[in-house]
Amino acid sequence: MSKAKVLIIDDEFELVSTLTERLNLRGYDATGVTKYSDAVKFLNEIPDVVILDIGLPDMDGLEVLKKIKEINSSIQVIMLSGYGDNEKINKSLMHGAFDYLIKPVDIEDLVSKIESAKIKKEDIK
Amino acid sequence: MFNFIKQFITKLTEDRYFYLKFRLILFNTFFAIIPLMIVVTITYFWIYEIVHDEFKNNLRWQMEETRHSLEFFISERKSALKFIVSSYPQEYFSDEKKFFQLFSNFKREFEGIIDMGIINSNGIQTLYVGPYQLKGKDYSQTEWFKEMTLKSDYVTDVFLGYRKIPHFSIIIKKEMPSGGDFWLLRVSINMDILQKLISNLEIGSQDDVFLINKQLILQTNSKYFGNALEPLKLNIIIERESDRIKIYDVELNKKQAYIAYTSIRETPWILLTTICSKPYAKIPTFFTKEVTMISLLSIAIIFFVITTSINNLVNRVRKADHEREIAIANAEHADKLASIGRLAAGVAHEINNPLAIINEKAGLMKDLLEYGDPSQNKEKFLQLVSSIQDSVTRCKTITHRLLSFSKRIDKAREEFNINEAIQEVVGFIEKEIHNKGINIVYEFQEDLPKITTDKGQLQQVLLNIINNAVDAVDIGGTIEIMTRLSDKNHIKISIKDNGHGIPKDKLKHIFEPFYTTKKKGTGLGLYISYGIIKKLGGDITVQSEEGKGTIFTIEIPVYPEVEEIK
């Protein structure tokens, strides 16, 4: 089974770039963007897993989740939250998010979540 | 005494409950006494009127009595004389001896008779019995003799006549059966008898009673208005032919008085009474004493009852106020905790971002050590470390800001620049503003004086209002924050948003406690903000138009004169 194709959307450039590099080091095909408008291009290529920050400058994370599910419902979305905003987390889970993580994330947790998400996506296929 | 008043006034001006109590007692007592006063006044006039009427009736009745006795006195003598004239044989009126016998009999029966005479149709007195020598006197030129040609009997005015003593006469005419001739029987009566008759009228020492004739000549002696036969020294107009008793209110010697009069039938006289004493005034005086006592007692009772009940009421108000103050203090505390909670959540969120970066950078360094050749990655490592340091600096800024805010909670007054304080507040909710894409426009007056007040509390208010503005605007909205020096000692801070605005019917309630339009609001934010601004000696107003936005304006003194803020 090939490594997952990952798209990271977060408004913190430093975070996005580092996380992308770390995932790439682990053999994933990872891309990072800081705005939804930049993400659209990569979403059309249908990534396996999207790591999505709930608070984005140009669009609310929940809206982005809905858009992603519209493009392709098999794309698995792992929500990333700055702090435990239970309401938003629950809403995103209701809207089809795969799971959520609270910053700062442990890379091992993230990797295992990506793996599980990838398996889930394969199953849907 | 002076000390007591001073103490009272100090208490009145300082203790607002005491002032309230004092005002309520005064007000209530005043209005409770009014009906009492009305009743007393009405009763007084009512009783005065009754006594007055009673007195007038009594006077009328006495006048009536006196008039009757006078009329009786005259008519009795008249009919007796008429009887004598018509039934005694003619010789009794021509023979001197028999006429003397007649006079003696008559005098014995009827009091006051002085003399008696017969006057022929030429006016010459042909027969006379009495103490004076009046036989042969000519009366043909007198008023009464002229009258007698028409009348059958006559009562004269009181006059002096030949004898120079005031008297009056009763004259009876005897018509001779043979053609036109007549003679007159004349009886003189002393004026004193009239004096005696009218003195039966019971009057006071300042009052007067007397007879006058129709030409206002006194017929009896008067105490104050002259002696008999002198003209009346009293300027009145008298209705001459009056059978009924007339009573008038007049002014005599600048005093209230009464004049009562009535004419005596079949005589030329008018009975006149003047009353200057006020026998009717005695009862109202008595009444006044009694009523004053009762009124004072009533007022004392009213005052006691009102004082007791108002005391009770004010004590309850004081208790309720105290409880409300505690409730508000609790609410204020709760609001402070809520804003600290909100702040903490924001801070956690903001700190987690740089922490996540640190985590990733450090993780990448570890990864590089594990996966690659560390000697080739020196540049990369330096970059990562500097990134980590940047993130630490970011965290430090946030924690320092939080610390300075929490420190300020204990500090009551400090000098600070209002513009910087506003920017600090906006800094607390930077993330939220950023997320919503809100455009903050500052229109600061740069040369504002430094303000001395409770920074923490002012910032709590500003945070509250700016937070509301953030909630009110849509994504991409604008919030304008303006500061101006409105006058020498006041700074005006306006926070204007282009959000959905507040409907007019809700606008008047927004500063009330527990009023909220938000799903999760407590309704205390603006209420507490209002309280804080008032406490700091300022004012807070709001203007809003539905669909266009809201402007909150805070005016705050540069140097508040308020008592030490707690």
Side-chain angles (χ1 to χ4, degrees), chain A residues 14 21-22 26 82 103 105, chain B residues 352-353 359 361 367 380:
Chain A
E14 291 285 324
E21 204 175 340
R22 291 188 78 191
R26 283 170 172 76
K103 288 178 188 175
V105 289
Chain B
N352 275 343
N353 272 321
N359 184 45
K361 300 277 174 190
D367 286 353
K380 183 88 183 174

Side-chain angles (χ1 to χ4, degrees), chain A residues 10-12 14-15 17-19 21-22 25-26 53 55-57 81-83 87 102-107, chain B residues 345 348-349 352-353 355-357 359-361 363-364 367-368 371 380 384 387 394 431 434-435 437 520:
Chain A
D10 193 309
D11 62 333
E12 293 278 355
E14 291 285 324
L15 182 75
S17 61
T18 319
L19 203 54
E21 204 175 340
R22 291 188 78 191
L25 271 176
R26 283 170 172 76
D53 189 8
L56 279 181
S81 169
Y83 65 109
E87 198 189 357
I102 291 170
K103 288 178 188 175
V105 289
D106 183 54
I107 193 76
Chain B
H349 188 241
N352 275 343
N353 272 321
L355 275 183
I357 292 167
N359 184 45
E360 294 314 322
K361 300 277 174 190
L364 182 57
D367 286 353
L368 288 174
Y371 295 97
K380 183 88 183 174
L384 288 169
S387 279
R394 241 177 96 182
K431 186 78 186 170
H434 184 61
N435 284 346
K520 283 184 171 176

Side-chain angles (χ1 to χ4, degrees), chain B residues 26-256:
Chain B
L26 215 66
F27 187 77
N28 276 303
T29 310
F30 178 70
F31 279 99
I33 287 171
I34 281 180
L36 182 73
M37 289 300 169
I38 291 172
V39 168
V40 167
T41 315
I42 288 174
T43 314
Y44 178 84
F45 283 112
W46 185 57
I47 288 194
Y48 181 87
E49 209 51 44
I50 287 177
V51 168
H52 220 250
D53 280 352
E54 195 54 36
F55 165 73
K56 275 188 178 177
N57 282 340
N58 186 42
L59 182 64
R60 188 178 309 237
W61 180 77
Q62 283 202 45
M63 292 277 286
E64 201 99 46
E65 285 284 291
T66 311
R67 185 178 78 175
H68 276 307
S69 59
L70 275 166
E71 277 168 7
F72 179 72
F73 175 83
I74 298 298
S75 69
E76 192 188 33
R77 274 145 193 79
K78 241 188 215 176
S79 31
L81 288 170
K82 271 185 182 169
F83 175 75
I84 291 170
V85 166
S86 58
S87 52
Y88 272 61
Q90 184 59 37
E91 71 247 36
Y92 275 92
F93 306 110
S94 48
D95 181 68
E96 211 156 314
K97 257 186 186 165
K98 282 197 170 166
F99 190 63
F100 182 77
Q101 197 187 335
L102 185 70
F103 170 70
S104 317
N105 288 346
F106 193 71
K107 198 181 171 180
R108 204 164 50 241
E109 293 300 323
F110 294 99
E111 195 189 353
I113 308 287
I114 308 166
D115 56 11
M116 199 151 99
I118 301 290
I119 293 138
N120 67 14
S121 55
N122 295 325
I124 307 299
Q125 181 146 283
T126 52
L127 271 178
Y128 174 80
V129 212
Y132 306 104
Q133 293 302 316
L134 298 177
K135 193 178 174 179
K137 290 280 179 190
D138 184 1
Y139 290 103
S140 62
Q141 295 310 308
T142 58
E143 193 65 33
W144 54 266
F145 185 77
K146 285 171 190 165
E147 287 278 328
M148 282 320 287
T149 51
L150 302 169
K151 288 185 174 173
S152 65
D153 57 75
Y154 190 75
V155 179
T156 66
D157 288 345
V158 173
F159 63 106
L160 289 173
Y162 290 113
R163 65 196 81 165
K164 310 296 174 204
I165 285 170
H167 67 285
F168 69 97
S169 303
I170 299 172
I171 299 139
I172 306 293
K173 184 157 112 182
K174 171 75 179 176
E175 305 266 1
M176 297 305 277
S178 51
D181 202 13
F182 65 86
W183 54 263
L184 304 170
L185 174 66
R186 177 177 174 273
V187 175
S188 293
I189 300 170
N190 206 329
M191 179 268 278
D192 294 346
I193 196 85
L194 292 177
Q195 199 89 48
K196 206 169 130 196
L197 280 171
I198 59 170
S199 68
N200 284 340
L201 205 98
E202 282 173 34
I203 50 169
S205 59
Q206 292 174 47
D207 309 333
D208 205 354
V209 59
F210 46 86
L211 289 172
I212 53 169
N213 68 7
K214 281 162 187 158
Q215 287 74 45
L216 303 184
I217 305 294
L218 281 161
Q219 302 290 290
T220 61
N221 292 331
S222 147
K223 256 191 256 176
Y224 299 109
F225 307 106
N227 284 324
L229 298 172
E230 287 170 12
L232 181 67
K233 286 184 225 151
L234 179 65
N235 202 11
I236 52 161
I237 295 160
I238 282 185
E239 203 182 307
R240 275 143 222 241
E241 298 306 327
S242 155
D243 269 355
R244 295 179 44 216
I245 317 260
K246 305 260 177 184
I247 300 179
Y248 293 104
D249 289 287
V250 290
E251 207 174 82
L252 272 182
N253 301 327
K254 293 179 180 166
K255 267 164 57 182
Q256 203 209 339

Side-chain angles (χ1 to χ4, degrees), chain B residues 428-534:
Chain B
F428 294 142
I429 49 172
E430 212 167 30
K431 186 78 186 170
E432 219 176 327
I433 291 166
H434 184 61
N435 284 346
K436 242 184 148 177
I438 292 164
N439 187 20
I440 301 264
V441 180
Y442 296 111
E443 269 194 55
F444 289 158
Q445 185 175 332
E446 292 302 332
D447 56 346
L448 285 178
K450 283 200 170 180
I451 187 167
T452 306
T453 192
D454 186 329
K455 189 176 177 184
Q457 289 208 309
L458 184 62
Q459 279 190 320
Q460 196 184 337
V461 173
L462 289 167
L463 182 68
N464 196 331
I465 290 169
I466 295 170
N467 247 331
N468 283 347
V470 168
D471 287 342
V473 297
D474 294 321
I475 287 170
T478 305
I479 297 170
E480 269 181 57
I481 305 174
M482 196 179 79
T483 54
R484 286 280 176 279
L485 196 63
S486 66
D487 64 60
K488 227 178 169 182
N489 195 34
H490 285 88
I491 286 177
K492 211 182 232 180
I493 308 159
S494 300
I495 293 144
K496 181 180 169 189
D497 68 61
N498 63 350
H500 42 66
I502 307 164
K504 248 188 185 161
D505 57 322
K506 288 177 181 168
L507 195 61
K508 57 188 170 197
H509 298 299
I510 62 165
F511 291 117
E512 289 171 13
F514 308 114
Y515 183 82
T516 182
T517 54
K518 293 182 188 173
K519 268 185 198 165
K520 283 184 171 176
T522 58
L524 287 170
L526 282 176
Y527 172 65
I528 287 161
S529 298
Y530 187 83
I532 289 172
I533 293 296
K534 284 280 168 193

